Amino acid sequence: MAGLVATRGRGRSTPTLDREGPPEVVAPADTETEAEPGVGDDAAVPRDTPTRTVEDADLPTIEAPAPVEKPESTASRLVRLRQRLARSQSPLGRGLLALLSRDVIDEDTWEEIEDILLTADVGVAPTQELVDRLRTRVKVEGSTGASVRDILREELVTLVDPTLDRALHVDRADGKPGVVLVVGVNGTGKTTTVGKLARVLVAEDKDVVLGAADTFRAAATEQLATWGERVGVPTVRGPEGSDPASVAFEAVKAGIEQEADVVLVDTAGRLQNKAGLMDELGKVKRVVEKQTPVSEVLLVLDATTGQNGMTQARVFGEVVDVTGIVLTKLDGSAKGGIVVAVQRELGVPVKLVGIGEGGDDLAPFDPEAFVDALLGAESA
């Protein structure tokens, strides 16, 4: 497959990548033009008076380069994460607090607590574990306002599990860039997440290359290239319908040659229950690892999809060895319990959460900040 194009920012040339040879730097054509005649040169006898004025001359048009945006810092993102979660998720935490603060907590109350947790997509097993621990602690420590809040906070933090490694492993190793494959079905915000993640990494002063390997959707390729242009990041892409593994291979190759820190590869996201897609994802990973190991496989899930999202998690987890989860639309739903459910299902942490539609609305997941937001706290 020829004709993979890498659109480069940060003042570098724009290479055209061809599988049969090294990147070719395409320079402007070297054409010869006749010099403009001097004043009076176009007359048989030179004149003292010019026949053309400055206004008549064909002057070159100088276009200013598109401005490169400066992404928001991680610290600022975390502040907004707390604020947005507190606004949208707190009904879950407040509902639990209201029930646990009753003068008498009977079996009906515990059933209501279970219902709230299950409705929030926490999952059956984690819900039962949490209720059992709450029963024991409330019985021993009492249910006054202050103590019940502390008990609930501690138990929710334990449930979300702050011991999991939520760092993004995207550092260079052995002279080669870290490689991140981003997987998930269409409609979850996968391509947008890749673009937003590029902004996160650029804000951390990382040099990033994007690989548009979702070649079955022309819109995905164009969308990713636009995200890259906004922060001066190159995008390697191929013709619509071309082999996704080849595009991913060339993206990693470009990242190695350009000494980038990270290569982010957006993969195809057709229906997850089609064996062809799963085989394709496995092939992408194998082909990429001919050059360098894949350091992260991030699964993008829509936090509002509940059990459908859990089904997706199981299928993708069986194929590409997911290392982290990105939950999108977490700010738009009270179903924050999916954080717990999907971590239990895959045994891997939620590493990033989408908190809005803006370019910088992707933030690292902080378990304590998340729980404080659930309970309506202002800060962690």
Side-chain angles (χ1 to χ4, degrees):
M1 175 192 66
L4 294 173
V5 178
T7 307
R8 180 71 193 180
R10 301 191 182 182
R12 301 188 187 180
S13 301
T14 302
T16 298
L17 301 183
D18 192 302
R19 294 184 64 198
E20 299 179 357
E24 175 188 356
V25 178
V26 181
D30 184 15
T31 57
E32 294 183 1
T33 57
E34 295 182 2
E36 286 286 338
V39 173
D41 288 350
D42 54 348
V45 178
R47 297 181 294 271
D48 293 331
T49 303
T51 58
R52 289 180 302 281
T53 64
V54 172
E55 288 76 7
D56 296 327
D58 294 327
L59 299 178
T61 300
I62 300 176
E63 296 183 0
V68 175
E69 299 176 10
K70 182 178 180 181
E72 189 175 355
S73 69
T74 297
S76 178
R77 293 168 192 261
L78 285 172
V79 170
R80 288 191 299 110
L81 170 65
R82 293 188 181 97
Q83 292 173 342
R84 292 191 182 188
L85 288 177
R87 288 199 299 268
S88 61
Q89 301 276 7
S90 56
L92 166 61
R94 288 173 183 169
L96 293 174
L97 280 174
L99 291 171
L100 289 169
S101 300
R102 287 179 176 177
D103 293 335
V104 177
I105 303 178
D106 54 17
E107 287 302 315
D108 289 340
T109 301
W110 289 115
E111 287 183 10
E112 288 183 63
I113 290 172
E114 287 186 2
D115 288 343
I116 287 179
L117 292 169
L118 291 172
T119 302
D121 288 336
V122 171
V124 176
T127 291
Q128 192 58 57
E129 290 174 20
L130 177 60
V131 170
D132 288 346
R133 292 200 303 267
L134 289 173
R135 277 177 177 264
T136 300
R137 292 196 61 179
V138 168
K139 184 176 181 179
V140 172
E141 302 174 40
S143 58
T144 61
S147 66
V148 96
R149 184 186 184 87
D150 291 341
I151 290 170
L152 182 57
R153 181 186 186 279
E154 290 171 11
E155 294 301 336
L156 285 173
V157 169
T158 299
L159 197 66
V160 176
D161 197 350
T163 66
L164 294 174
D165 178 12
R166 301 178 192 277
L168 286 176
H169 301 287
V170 292
D171 295 325
R172 287 176 60 84
D174 299 325
K176 295 180 179 180
V179 177
V180 180
L181 298 186
V182 182
V183 304
V185 301
N186 292 337
T188 58
K190 175 176 55 65
T191 300
T192 297
T193 294
V194 178
K196 290 182 179 181
L197 180 54
R199 296 178 68 91
V200 171
L201 296 172
V202 167
E204 296 175 357
D205 203 29
K206 298 283 189 183
D207 193 4
V208 181
V209 170
L210 299 177
D214 187 355
T215 59
F216 300 99
R217 290 194 307 135
T221 298
E222 295 301 323
Q223 181 183 6
L224 193 61
T226 299
W227 278 104
E229 290 169 1
R230 288 167 61 181
V231 287
V233 167
T235 299
V236 177
R237 50 184 177 171
E240 184 177 357
S242 56
D243 182 15
S246 295
V247 178
F249 182 90
E250 294 293 351
V252 173
K253 180 181 177 183
I256 293 171
E257 293 173 349
Q258 297 177 15
E259 299 183 353
D261 297 307
V262 191
V263 179
L264 302 179
V265 180
D266 180 25
T267 63
R270 293 170 296 172
L271 292 177
Q272 84 282 358
N273 57 0
K274 289 188 176 180
L277 172 60
M278 296 298 107
D279 292 342
E280 197 171 81
L281 290 175
K283 178 184 176 183
V284 168
K285 189 171 186 289
R286 290 193 302 273
V287 167
V288 165
E289 290 193 325
K290 290 180 179 180
Q291 301 182 86
T292 188
V294 170
S295 44
E296 289 274 7
V297 178
L298 298 179
L299 172 62
V300 180
L301 294 175
D302 182 334
T304 67
T305 57
Q307 288 305 307
N308 188 37
M310 296 303 299
T311 300
Q312 294 171 22
R314 281 191 288 270
V315 175
F316 279 97
E318 291 170 359
V319 177
V320 285
D321 191 20
V322 173
T323 61
I325 301 154
V326 183
L327 284 177
T328 61
K329 305 179 185 178
L330 189 62
D331 65 318
S333 166
K335 298 192 173 186
I338 193 173
V339 170
V340 175
V342 74
Q343 288 185 160
R344 290 291 187 92
E345 179 66 36
L346 296 184
V348 298
V350 172
K351 293 192 172 186
L352 295 161
V353 291
I355 54 175
E357 299 297 325
D360 291 318
D361 289 340
L362 184 72
F365 181 73
D366 182 328
E368 295 199 10
F370 175 69
V371 170
D372 282 332
L374 289 178
L375 299 175
E378 292 296 328
S379 61

